[in-house]
Amino acid sequence: MDSAEINNKLSGTDTVTRGEAVQGMPGYKEENGTILMMLPFLLAISAFVLGVFFYVITMQKTNQFGIMKAIGASNRFLSKAIVSQVFILSLTSIVVGILLTYATAAIRPKGMPFKLETSLVVTYSIILLVIAMLSSMVSVRKITFDPLKALGRVE
């Protein structure tokens, strides 16, 4: 039966769907709005943290990149190496995060209200992977240097 039929049979009542009832709960709309507003900020913060993380890791390997360039490694080769390492590290981290999230969801108490939509997990996983790949471009930009400078031979 739909809510209109129930309203016709039961006079003096308002019958709504489950979704309408949830939307009508005090504070639900406001709380949901707050969470939805936090997501873009979390993604922006993630972009900044990932960018700094990969930049610092790249800067720590400056001497190794200098040696590789001195023996003939091209900027293109090193760029591919950095991007592929960032991709593998990011993808592995995202997969581990998803597995831990689903494991936590599986062991939570049954009465706890929790809904994990696969489409959201996939969407935000792809967004995080794209952010990580874009942030690796800052690191790629920093490896285009003179190898002698990286080795400390030239001022």
Side-chain angles (χ1 to χ4, degrees), residues 27-94:
Y28 176 81
K29 181 179 169 187
E30 292 79 9
E31 188 69 32
N32 200 32
T34 302
I35 290 170
L36 291 177
M37 188 176 70
M38 286 173 20
L39 287 173
F41 287 108
L42 289 173
L43 289 174
I45 292 166
S46 297
F48 179 74
V49 169
L50 284 171
V52 169
F53 176 75
F54 292 129
Y55 180 79
V56 168
I57 286 179
T58 302
M59 290 300 95
Q60 288 177 342
K61 295 191 260 180
T62 300
N63 289 339
Q64 288 91 343
F65 289 133
I67 292 169
M68 291 176 73
K69 287 179 84 166
I71 61 174
S74 67
N75 284 335
R76 184 177 181 155
F77 173 79
L78 293 175
S79 299
K80 285 182 181 180
I82 288 174
V83 170
S84 64
Q85 289 173 14
V86 168
F87 179 78
I88 291 169
L89 180 63
S90 299
L91 187 63
T92 303
S93 300
I94 289 169

Side-chain angles (χ1 to χ4, degrees), residues 2-3 15-23:
D2 68 339
S3 59
T15 308
V16 295
T17 63
R18 182 183 301 242
E20 291 170 332
V22 168
Q23 290 293 330

Side-chain angles (χ1 to χ4, degrees), residues 9-10 23 109 119 153:
K9 290 185 178 187
L10 300 171
Q23 290 293 330
S119 62
R153 304 282 192 245

Side-chain angles (χ1 to χ4, degrees), residues 119-135:
S119 62
L120 279 176
V121 172
V122 170
T123 300
Y124 284 107
S125 297
I126 291 170
I127 290 171
L128 278 174
L129 189 59
V130 168
I131 288 171
M133 299 312 296
L134 291 174
S135 68

